[in-house]
Structures are given as structure tokens and as C-alpha cells.
Amino acid sequence: MGTSLSAPDQDDDFEDLAARTGFSLEQIGNLHKRFKHLTNNQSTLRRENFDSVTDLMWNPIRSEIIEAFFDTRNFQPGGTGSVREITFEEFLIVMSHFRPPELNMTSEQRESLRTKKLRFLFNMYDKDNDGKITLQEYRHVVEELLSRSGTIGKDTAKDIADAAMLEVASITVVHMEPDEFYEGITFEHFVKILKDIEIESKMYVRFLNMDTTTLCK
Amino acid sequence: VLALGTVGASRRVSLQRGLLFLCALVLLLLSEAVEPLGASGSPGGAGDSSGGSHGLQKGCEADVTKSKHPTNRTKKPFPVLSFDYEHVKTPFEISLWVLLASLMKLGFHLIPRLSSIVPESCLLIVVGLLVGGLIKVVGETPPVLDSQVFFLFLLPPIILDAGYFLPIRPFSENLGTILMFAVVGTLWNSFFMGGLLYGVCQIKGTDLNTVNLLACLLFGSIISAVDPVAVLAVFEEIHINELLHILVFGESLLNDAVTVVLYHLFEEYAGVGSVSILDVFLGVVCFLVVALGGVLVGAFYGILAAFTSRFTSHTRVIEPLFVFVYSYMAYLSAEVFHLSGIMALIACGAVMRPYVEANISHKSHTTIKYFLKMWSSVSETLIFIFLGVSTVAGNHSWNWTFVTVTIILCLVSRVLGVVGLTYVINKFRIVKLTTKDQFIVAYGGLRGAIAFSLGYLLDKSHFPMRDMFLTAIITVIFFTVFVQGMTIRPLVDLLAVKKKQETKRSINEEIHTQFLDHLLTGIEDICGHYGHHHWKDKLNRFNKKYVKKCLIAGERSKEPQLIAFYHKMEMKQAIELVESGGGVKLPSAVPSTVSMQNIQPKKPPSDRAIPQISKGREEEIRKILRNNLQKTRQRLRSYNRHTLVADPYEDGWNDLLFKRQKLMEIEKKVMCVSVSLTHVPNWWLHSSDPQAYSSKPTSDDLPTIKVDLASPQSPDSVNLVNEFQKAATQNDPDDDGGLVMKVPFADKDQGEQDNKKEQQRLMRCLSDPGPGGDEEEDEPFLP
């Protein structure tokens, strides 16, 4: 292996992590290097550390992505709220949401992977953690997606979000009385409207070839 | 009774079919009897037309001489009716063939069950065989599919259709796999087949010793290329999932470069008899030049076309012409340098499409779509019919060994190639190709008319075994098209291969896909890993910043993709709404009773200062409410948006929808006020000012409405009384050519009638529903 680990007990930690998150030892080594690079050799990652990733500036949903790392729901079962800093282990758990499915997975394993990824996405939309994506939160997402288009985006964002919400309601709760109120997209509804997109194969990042030279930016 | 009815119908149908067939045959025989068809299409035609012009010249000379010596002429009565077939011969025959092809296509679809068992390509070849047989029986020589005609006139429309509507996203995601199959797969096939055939030819007992190695390799290269026409014809009908479709189809398109290089290489040196290492090296260089050169030529013409379309806002009628002519020029320019014309055409179509579609009008878009489909359909039909006719016409030299070995080797090499390549490819793919996928890819490797035309082009003097080659090629084509084409559909069902998903792309999927793209790009950036998403994002940004500004006219260049998609959807829904009779019942995908009111959070009834309204006014308002409430409630109970946001860049639409919006806002406001008057909870949505979209507000009489009844912060002094008067006196004679929409009176009795009239008018004008295969339209332009 090209990457050499300094301390022997780090190996044990990594193996433990590998068992838990499913990454290979090499991948964990690479991610550890990246973690150290981002945090300037500290042991915890903070929000400010993401400022050094210059390409992220162009990303319209930058704040959501950064928040996702500090959202306890993503690395602690049953966690709520967000923290100020995370350890390498939590960083790794968040990253494990982006692993591709393996060829020899059973269909239950695929289903659980799919649910896990969808849950991650859902948490990104549902910021106040009330279990539903309200119209306000949805509008906010669409506005951010269109945030780079200047004034053209502002008015249509609302319309688009409204139309999308209407579609979700039409598909999931087919019949509603005129005075009933559709409060928001619950996780079940979310899964239902995205059932045509193969999330488990689309939502992945190649951790295969992580050249160390590209890591040092 | 039902059974009897169907029997009667089928008898009627077969009667019609028989009549059609008879008519076509009569027409054909008539033309045959009148004039013998030339041995081949265009050279013969050219010869004939030149003969015709010579005839004309001679006629002129004769007239001149006659005029000089008027006394020599014997006086004949003035010819009232004369027969002169010569000078219209070529176009007449071409039209006749096209007519025959179209009638055949028509006929097949009248027989309901036939088209579901037998793919159209098979039927057409059979028809070609019959027609060729008939011509032979009559005593004429049937025409052979001339390679010039094929490559210059019959093939480009099919390829342009494929390239223009190429689904970019799956294509680019699987590009590596497609290239592997196209380049490495075709090379493997050619050499494997060529080599083994040579070995077989050397066996004593078959009299094939004259076939040398290079000739065998040449034959191998001709026969190993998967044919896009055949693949399209068969795969179109079986509706397999997008991944497999794009793999096989993409391979058939991209292997053209390999075929061109191999063909020219072996043809050059087969005469000489040997190939040196230098030649091989030059061949590799040539391949790169051919492939990349073709793509560059195509991209160049594509950008030219996109740039031209930026300025066509005043001459909408000739917009489709630019698309066609630029693409054809790209093809011809590539052919001049012996580059890959197919790749040029694909590159041209794919490059120009996003920009051209943003610039041209909706009607031009429909025109382009229809014309491409029409031309490619006719071309395909003609190709298959001519294949059948050529089979009857050609000189055949049947050699059992050669032909059977060829067929077996084709199958074997294809299977081996696909399996071997998939093993390598799966190491790099995330979504691995299963055995089922591999089987379909291998089985879907059909050969077609390109192989035949390439074989036909061979020079008889260099290749004395040309006839044998042609026979073998035709046999392989027949085998793949008939056997594989017919059995692939039951096999797909048997193996339960995933089919194409019929669902239309919804706004939700669009939002989430974009979100996911950005998310993955962000994660890649955090990891520091310059992957697929990173480069795609960079390309998109570059495109947005520089390219779009040059190539897209006006405001449209800044429109983000989500908004463009949304506008397209709304346009489609607007057309659907109008065609379904306007608002009463929208053909929505999911019939539901959910409407906008269910979404909006309940807002506390705001206690704002309501201007004093006289009793009379109040009564008027109530009456209008009663009349319009029914209509608007029905309009709402659908998936449509409560306000139609106009496509701001579409001529004419702008005005109408702007006015329609105004009307709806007036209604809304009326209802809101009345609602709060009558203490019904305020369930109406506040509307945003759509002024951003109106580039020419022609009538300033309509008040600008900035209503935000929900939020208590904006103290709108809404002067309802004044607006009402204005609306009542409004009588806009809309004079937009084509789309006429009268602003319905906000008046008690007229409201209903006007609404109906307006919708009828809109229905008449927007009568073009657009072709059925709408899935491609839902693809966002840029990945």
C-alpha cells in the first residue's frame, strides 16, 4: 500500500471503522489524509475549515452540504440538532452515505442502502427536523438552486416549488377535501415520489482512485 | 356479436390492404412497362437525364433546321396531346419508389397483429423481394441499391434524426463503455472473423484458395460493424430500458470510424498484397484523425447553425432549413476528406440542439421534429425494400462453406467479444452489466445495409470474389434481421429485461436530480477528487458563462435550466388544457382532488382596511363570483398551475397569457375581497407580479396588480371600484396572428360565453398536438 500509517493503534481504529462503515482500508487512509488536510492537522472538523475548498464557492447549495456534515441525524441514530465540530469517525460515517452499491448485494441490502441515502437527502431538505418538508423549506431549496440566476430566478422559484408540492400531494395523497391542509412531505411520500430514480446507483462518489496529488490543493 | 364485428373489421382491413398492394403493384408495373429501369439508380438516372437533355437539344436543333428549311416540313395537325416521358423519367421513378415505400408502411399498420409479431424491417425486405421478383418476371432488370444513392441520400436523414434526438445524459454517462464496444469490439470482430475465414479458405476441398488474407480481413471488417439502421428499426419496437438501448445504439453509431479506416486500409493494400508495420501505425493515426476530425467538423457546423439561429427571430419560416442544411453540409464536408460522416452528423446534431432549441419558435421545433421523423422513416423503408430488390437483382455466387462459416463466426465472435469486453468494463463501472444485459447487447448486434453498400462498392477487378462476398453479406443481413430481429422481442419478455419507463419527467424529479448533481459535485470537491461530477460542473459553468451568451439570443441566454424545464412543462400543459376543452377536466396523469388551496398554509384572516364598496358594487361582485367561481374551481382541480406563467420569449404568447393572467388576478382579487366580506376563510394564494415576463405590455389600461393579501405588511390600497370599471370597459381586440384570445369580460352574462368562445378559438389555433414520442422532449437540454 502506498499510504503508510504512523501509529499501529491507528491501524486498529481504521479496521474498526472499515468494519463499521464498509470502506476499504485504503479508502479510509485516503480520507484520513484529506481530513487532516482540511482541518490543518487538528483532530476535529469545523465549519470554517470548509472555506479552504475553493470550488465549493460555486455550489448553490453549499450551505446545505456543509450543514449535512454537522447534522447529528446523519451520524447518530436518533440524534437531533447540529454540532459545532465533528471527529474523523463522524466525517467517515457521513461519507459512507455515498458509497456505491456492490455487485453481490441482496435486494434487501439494496433497499436498506437506498433508504439510508434517501434519508440523508431528506435530512438535507428538512432542516428543522420536524419529519416533514414544508412548503417553506421546499421553496428555500428551489430558491437556492436558482440562486445564481439573478432576478429571473426569484419569482419563478416560488411557482416552481408550489407546482412541485402540488404534484407531490397529488401523487401521494390523491384525494383531499378543499379545506384539508397538506402539511408537508413526509419521508414515506419522499420515497414514493423518488421511486423512479435509482438513488442507490446515482448517489455515489468514486472513492476508488483518489490520487494523493489531487488531494493536496 | 363482438367477435363477428372484429371478424368483419379484419376482413375489411385485409381487403383494404389487398387493394393498396394491388394499386402499388399496378403503378409499378405501369412504370416498368413504359420504360425499362436502368441497372442502377443515380448513375443510370444521370445517364438517362443527360440522354433526355440531349434529346431536347437535338429537338431544338431539329427545330432550328426546320425553321431554316421550312419548305421541307410536312404539315401535320397540331398535336393536342403528346407523350414525353423521357424528361421526367428520373424524378418520376424516384417518386414512385417513395410512394411505394410509404404505401407499404401504411399497409402494415392496417393489419393489427402483424406488426406485433414481425418487425417492420422484415416485412419490408419481403416486400422488396416480391417487387424484385415481379420486375424480373416482367422481364426488366431490377435496380440494385446504388452505394452513392445510399450514402448520400438515404443514410443521412436517419443518422441526423438519431443524432439530433440523442439522449445526451445517458450517452455521456456510458461513453466509456460505448467506446470500448465500438472500437475494441469492432476491431476484435474484424480480425477474428477475417483470420478464421482465411484459415477456412485455405482448407483444401473448398475452392476458396483465391481469397487471400487481406481480402478476408476486408470482408471481416465490412461484416463486423453493427448497423445503426437495423438496430434502430428493431429496437424501436421492443422498448427496452434506456441503458441497453443507448449501449447498442451508441456502439452502432461510433463504430463507423473504425469501419471506415479498416475498409480503406484493407482496400488500399489488398491490391498490393501486403501490409507493413508502418501501414498499421498509419492506420491507427488515421483512425484518430477520422474519428476526431469527424467530430470536430460536426461540432464546427453545429456551432455555426446555433449562431445562425440566434438571428432568425424575424424569419421564423426558414429556421428548420438551417438545421437541415448545416447538418447535411457537415456530413458532406466530412465525406470530402474521408472522415467519418456519421460521427460528424451526430456531433453536429448534438452540439447545436440545446442552443437552437432555445432560439427557435415552437412551430419550428415541431417542424424539425416532424420532418426528421418523416425523412428518416421514408429512408429506412426505402433501404429495406431496396435490400430485398437487390437480393433478387444481384449476381449471386453461392458457396455453402463460405456462407455458413460466416454466419457462425459472426455469432461466435460477437458473443465472445461482448463477454470479454464486459468482464473488463465491469471493473470500471458502478452499475455493472449483468449477464442478461450482455446477452441483449450481443444479440442486438444486427447487420444491415451499410455492410451491403460497402461490399457493393468493391472494385470487381481487384476483388474477383466480390459476388461471393455480396451473397454472404446479404445472407448474414437476412439472418440477423429475420432471425434475431423476430426473436428478440419474445426473448426480451422471456428474460424479463427491464423495459423503458414510460413516466414523464416531472418537476420533482428535475429538482431532485439537480440537487443531487450539486450535492455530488460538492462532495467530490470536499474529497478533493476531480471526478465525473466535477468536470461536468465545470463544463456547465463554462457553457453558461461564455457559450450561451454567444449562441442564444436575448434574455434566454441567462435562463437556468430548471426554469426552462418549468416553462416547457407549462407550455405543454397549456396546450393540453386548451385541447381538452378548456379547464373543465384536465387530462392529468393522476386524477386527484388536491389543489393549490391544500398546499397553502392557513393564514390568519388579516384585518386590513377594506375600502368602502357600495351596495350595488357588492351585488355585482357577488354575481360575478357566483358565475366565475364554478369555472375557476374546476380549472383548479387539476395539476395545472393556477396562473399560467407565459414563456416570455415566445412571440405572441406573451401578450395573451399576460392578459389572461391579469384577468385571473382581477378575479382573484374580487373573490378575495368578497370572501373577506362574507367571512369565508381566505384560501386564495397571493400572486406575484408577473411583470418580469412581459416585455411589451401593450395595454396600460390593465392595472398592475401587486397583491399580497396574506402578508399584513403591504398595505395595498386596492381600489377595486376603479379596476372593476376598467375591466368592464375593457374590450381588447386581440389581433395576434394565430393565437387569438379575447379577454373575457368580467361581466355577469358575458363571462361564460366569452370563456367558451375564447377556448374554442384557442383550440382551433393550437390544433397541433405534436408527435407522440414526446419522451425526448422531456430531457433537459444540457446534462
Side-chain angles (χ1 to χ4, degrees):
Chain A
M1 281 208 326
T3 59
S4 53
L5 304 163
S6 43
D9 50 354
Q10 222 177 12
D11 279 341
D12 299 330
D13 287 341
F14 282 9
E15 280 186 22
D16 181 42
L17 286 172
R20 279 206 284 156
T21 57
F23 280 119
S24 74
L25 283 174
E26 185 182 352
Q27 287 171 339
I28 295 185
N30 286 335
L31 282 169
H32 187 75
K33 271 211 163 131
R34 183 64 182 172
F35 186 78
K36 284 277 179 251
H37 174 79
L38 282 175
T39 61
N40 289 323
N41 282 319
Q42 305 277 317
S43 61
T44 56
L45 186 68
R46 291 192 183 77
R47 284 183 179 81
E48 303 80 57
N49 297 124
F50 283 105
D51 293 340
S52 59
V53 184
T54 47
D55 281 328
L56 213 51
M57 295 301 145
W58 295 106
N59 206 316
I61 54 169
R62 179 176 182 270
S63 54
E64 264 93 359
I65 297 177
I66 295 179
E67 272 311 306
F69 276 95
F70 296 96
D71 193 341
T72 47
R73 288 177 293 174
N74 288 332
F75 46 79
Q76 257 179 42
T80 53
S82 59
V83 292
R84 294 227 6 244
E85 48 190 29
I86 56 171
T87 63
F88 178 59
E89 183 179 330
E90 286 150 357
F91 179 74
L92 214 54
I93 295 178
V94 170
M95 281 299 186
S96 72
H97 285 96
F98 294 95
R99 283 186 49 246
E102 277 134 41
L103 188 56
N104 46 8
M105 273 182 148
T106 62
S107 57
E108 295 97 46
Q109 281 176 326
R110 283 185 96 92
E111 262 312 300
S112 73
L113 184 66
R114 188 185 156 79
T115 313
K116 188 170 148 196
K117 296 191 180 193
L118 281 173
R119 187 88 224 173
F120 184 84
L121 271 183
F122 187 79
N123 289 343
M124 284 183 81
Y125 287 105
D126 178 28
K127 290 191 216 27
D128 57 0
N129 196 15
D130 57 355
K132 335 186 240 292
I133 306 175
T134 59
L135 185 62
Q136 215 35 50
E137 288 167 342
Y138 215 42
R139 272 188 195 158
H140 180 73
V141 167
V142 177
E143 269 167 25
E144 292 231 310
L145 280 178
L146 294 174
S147 58
R148 308 229 163 248
S149 342
T151 48
I152 297 184
K154 286 201 178 56
D155 296 323
T156 339
K158 255 186 292 208
D159 296 335
I160 293 178
D162 293 345
M165 197 76 164
L166 184 60
E167 186 188 57
V168 175
S170 314
I171 293 177
T172 53
V173 186
V174 180
H175 293 287
M176 283 182 83
E177 295 306 311
D179 50 358
E180 271 182 70
F181 176 55
Y182 182 71
E183 277 157 20
I185 309 178
T186 61
F187 186 59
E188 290 80 36
H189 294 173
F190 191 69
V191 169
K192 197 166 173 188
I193 55 173
L194 289 184
K195 66 174 163 52
D196 288 329
I197 304 182
E198 275 197 25
I199 290 285
E200 64 268 21
S201 356
K202 285 209 170 153
M203 184 164 148
Y204 73 91
V205 171
R206 279 176 195 271
F207 294 110
L208 298 170
N209 328 312
M210 281 169 66
D211 197 31
T212 43
T213 49
T214 59
L215 291 181
C216 307
K217 230 179 12 116
Chain B
V1 172
L2 212 64
L4 272 180
T6 48
V7 162
S10 65
R11 237 188 278 138
R12 238 180 296 129
V13 155
S14 46
L15 198 66
Q16 287 170 359
R17 163 95 167 88
L19 275 174
L20 261 173
F21 196 48
L22 215 60
C23 288
L25 280 183
V26 165
L27 277 170
L28 202 59
L29 283 176
L30 214 62
S31 73
E32 308 310 333
V34 165
E35 195 71 31
L37 281 179
S40 44
S42 87
D48 269 334
S49 60
S50 65
S53 63
H54 277 307
L56 206 62
Q57 229 180 15
K58 275 199 215 117
C60 284
E61 284 173 6
D63 276 339
V64 168
T65 52
K66 277 186 197 147
S67 62
K68 281 192 187 153
H69 308 277
T71 49
N72 292 353
R73 226 164 126 202
T74 53
K75 183 154 164 50
K76 280 194 290 202
F78 184 75
V80 174
L81 193 67
S82 52
F83 185 83
D84 187 2
Y85 180 65
E86 271 302 323
H87 77 285
V88 294
K89 183 172 135 100
T90 317
F92 193 85
E93 282 164 13
I94 295 175
S95 310
L96 214 54
W97 277 107
V98 173
L99 196 61
L100 172 73
S102 317
L103 286 173
M104 286 302 116
K105 218 175 154 73
L106 202 71
F108 293 146
H109 289 283
L110 288 177
I111 304 180
R113 265 181 307 134
L114 194 63
S115 44
S116 57
I117 305 173
V118 186
E120 217 173 81
S121 38
C122 303
L123 290 170
L124 289 169
I125 294 187
V126 168
V127 166
L129 287 172
L130 286 173
V131 169
L134 263 164
I135 297 179
K136 235 187 179 158
V137 157
V138 172
E140 309 297 342
T141 48
V144 184
L145 179 63
D146 183 46
S147 298
Q148 282 286 87
V149 170
F150 175 75
F151 278 116
L152 289 183
F153 301 114
L154 292 179
L155 190 62
I158 302 179
I159 305 294
L160 180 60
D161 181 39
Y164 194 75
F165 292 112
L166 192 70
I168 298 284
R169 205 183 163 117
F171 187 75
S172 59
E173 282 174 8
N174 295 299
L175 193 61
T177 315
I178 292 175
L179 277 176
M180 278 287 274
F181 277 126
V183 177
V184 181
T186 312
L187 281 173
W188 156 260
N189 276 348
S190 319
F191 284 107
F192 184 74
M193 281 196 64
L196 281 186
L197 265 176
Y198 181 63
V200 165
C201 287
Q202 296 302 98
I203 298 176
K204 311 259 184 340
T206 68
D207 35 26
L208 293 169
N209 300 32
T210 50
V211 186
N212 59 357
L213 178 64
L214 281 171
C216 277
L217 283 175
L218 178 61
F219 179 73
S221 70
I222 294 177
I223 199 72
S224 62
V226 177
D227 187 78
V229 180
V231 164
L232 260 179
V234 169
F235 272 48
E236 200 82 349
E237 300 176 359
I238 60 178
H239 299 301
I240 50 169
N241 64 40
E242 203 178 48
L243 173 67
L244 287 177
H245 187 253
I246 199 72
L247 280 182
V248 181
F249 184 59
E251 179 196 346
S252 69
L253 289 175
L254 294 185
N255 66 17
D256 182 59
V258 182
T259 310
V260 163
V261 171
L262 282 179
Y263 181 80
H264 285 300
L265 184 72
F266 291 132
E267 201 200 1
E268 275 290 312
Y269 294 115
V272 177
S274 67
V275 178
S276 66
I277 296 292
L278 180 66
D279 296 323
V280 172
F281 175 69
L282 283 177
V284 171
V285 174
C286 180
F287 165 70
L288 288 170
V289 167
V290 161
L292 292 174
V295 169
L296 280 175
V297 168
F300 172 68
Y301 275 100
I303 293 182
L304 269 185
F307 190 66
T308 313
S309 71
R310 186 182 163 178
F311 303 107
T312 56
S313 46
H314 299 291
T315 47
R316 293 277 184 205
V317 191
I318 55 172
E319 271 172 343
L321 194 67
F322 285 118
V323 171
F324 300 138
V325 173
Y326 272 116
S327 313
Y328 196 48
M329 289 283 289
Y331 181 75
L332 294 175
S333 310
E335 287 291 323
V336 166
F337 299 102
H338 278 288
L339 303 173
S340 168
I342 290 185
M343 292 183 81
L345 214 44
I346 301 282
C348 185
V351 163
M352 80 164 119
R353 186 179 178 203
Y355 309 110
V356 162
E357 297 233 319
N359 284 330
I360 60 176
S361 71
H362 186 72
K363 287 184 186 142
S364 298
H365 171 76
T366 311
T367 309
I368 292 179
K369 189 166 178 166
Y370 265 128
F371 261 83
L372 281 179
K373 297 279 178 219
M374 176 186 84
W375 270 327
S376 66
S377 180
V378 168
S379 271
E380 196 180 293
T381 317
L382 273 176
I383 288 177
F384 282 116
I385 288 186
F386 265 112
L387 262 182
V389 174
S390 309
T391 312
V392 175
N395 316 321
H396 290 294
S397 141
W398 180 271
N399 186 314
W400 274 104
T401 331
F402 194 72
V403 173
T404 40
V405 168
T406 308
I407 295 183
I408 296 174
L409 277 183
C410 261
L411 289 172
V412 167
S413 75
R414 176 89 183 147
V415 170
L416 283 179
V418 168
V419 169
L421 280 175
T422 316
Y423 179 73
V424 176
I425 288 171
N426 269 347
K427 294 205 199 301
F428 298 98
R429 280 182 67 93
I430 295 294
V431 181
K432 318 265 185 215
L433 295 175
T434 63
T435 321
K436 258 194 268 177
D437 295 336
Q438 291 173 41
F439 176 75
I440 296 290
V441 171
Y443 207 68
L446 306 173
R447 313 314 200 254
I450 292 187
F452 177 79
S453 305
L454 283 177
Y456 195 74
L457 271 177
L458 288 175
D459 195 345
K460 189 104 187 186
S461 54
H462 288 162
F463 299 96
M465 69 296 288
R466 173 176 171 265
D467 291 329
M468 188 175 69
F469 280 176
L470 277 178
T471 313
I473 292 175
I474 288 191
T475 318
V476 171
I477 295 178
F478 272 40
F479 181 81
T480 55
V481 171
F482 277 93
V483 174
Q484 285 177 231
M486 275 206 273
T487 54
I488 200 169
R489 202 196 308 233
L491 273 174
V492 161
D493 291 330
L494 194 72
L495 291 174
V497 178
K498 259 197 292 186
K499 295 265 182 129
K500 183 153 73 156
Q501 289 167 330
E502 289 299 335
T503 52
K504 281 161 66 149
R505 214 179 154 89
S506 70
I507 186 86
N508 267 301
E509 284 184 17
E510 183 69 23
I511 293 178
H512 292 297
T513 314
Q514 280 215 358
F515 189 84
L516 199 61
D517 277 341
H518 287 297
L519 172 65
L520 292 173
T521 310
I523 298 286
E524 275 188 5
D525 291 332
I526 291 176
C527 289
H529 168 60
Y530 285 165
H532 184 61
H533 291 277
H534 179 91
W535 293 117
K536 219 162 55 152
D537 191 56
K538 270 218 158 102
L539 183 68
N540 274 340
R541 264 190 280 137
F542 171 74
N543 189 16
K544 194 149 107 167
K545 201 158 165 201
Y546 300 112
V547 183
K548 270 192 183 176
K549 288 216 170 69
C550 289
L551 299 180
I552 300 184
E555 277 300 303
R556 207 102 191 231
S557 55
K558 299 205 206 78
E559 192 179 53
Q561 185 196 331
L562 191 60
I563 295 186
F565 179 79
Y566 181 62
H567 283 324
K568 229 176 20 160
M569 271 183 56
E570 290 216 317
M571 185 82 98
K572 239 190 268 190
Q573 277 161 29
I575 295 178
E576 275 175 30
L577 173 70
V578 165
E579 274 162 11
S580 69
V584 177
K585 195 173 80 115
L586 192 76
S588 61
V590 178
S592 84
T593 53
V594 182
S595 55
M596 285 312 295
Q597 66 205 68
N598 297 110
I599 312 289
Q600 297 312 310
K602 288 194 178 21
K603 304 248 166 43
S606 50
D607 42 356
R608 329 156 349 97
I610 311 265
Q612 290 299 331
I613 298 184
S614 65
K615 271 273 173 169
R617 271 301 170 198
E618 201 181 299
E619 255 315 295
E620 239 178 314
I621 294 172
R622 291 239 176 95
K623 272 204 190 132
I624 289 159
L625 256 193
R626 252 180 270 128
N627 283 333
N628 286 330
L629 198 60
Q630 189 59 32
K631 279 194 301 245
T632 40
R633 264 194 90 106
Q634 285 172 338
R635 232 179 283 145
L636 274 193
R637 200 175 290 139
S638 64
Y639 173 36
N640 202 355
R641 288 278 298 116
H642 64 289
T643 52
L644 281 178
V645 180
D647 180 8
Y649 314 112
E650 187 71 39
D651 300 341
W653 264 100
N654 190 22
D655 267 0
L656 335 157
L657 291 178
F658 176 69
K659 286 179 187 135
R660 187 184 176 138
Q661 240 165 340
K662 293 294 183 214
L663 163 81
M664 282 171 121
E665 275 144 21
I666 296 176
E667 284 188 50
K668 256 184 279 172
K669 276 180 45 204
V670 163
M671 262 181 275
C672 288
V673 171
S674 146
V675 146
S676 49
L677 282 175
T678 56
H679 300 293
V680 172
N682 178 8
W683 47 263
W684 202 279
L685 183 67
H686 66 268
S687 75
S688 49
D689 185 72
Q691 270 221 314
Y693 296 108
S694 68
S695 52
K696 352 176 225 165
T698 51
S699 58
D700 290 324
D701 307 318
L702 282 176
T704 53
I705 304 172
K706 228 186 186 76
V707 176
D708 192 357
L709 290 167
S711 73
Q713 292 112 347
S714 56
D716 277 337
S717 54
V718 169
N719 199 339
L720 261 189
V721 183
N722 275 344
E723 281 168 44
F724 234 77
Q725 276 176 335
K726 283 182 196 154
T729 55
Q730 195 68 328
N731 192 355
D732 252 16
D734 257 277
D735 58 339
D736 269 298
L739 296 171
V740 178
M741 189 168 144
K742 209 167 152 106
V743 173
F745 273 132
D747 212 340
K748 355 181 208 153
D749 303 310
Q750 296 233 6
E752 289 258 15
Q753 298 164 358
D754 267 338
N755 238 346
K756 289 204 194 95
K757 263 194 286 182
E758 147 224 323
Q759 277 149 7
Q760 272 172 15
R761 255 184 246 139
L762 265 177
M763 259 175 72
R764 250 181 271 136
C765 298
L766 290 175
S767 55
D768 179 11
D774 249 6
E775 302 94 41
E776 311 99 53
E777 289 212 72
D778 294 351
E779 272 286 312
F781 319 137
L782 296 166

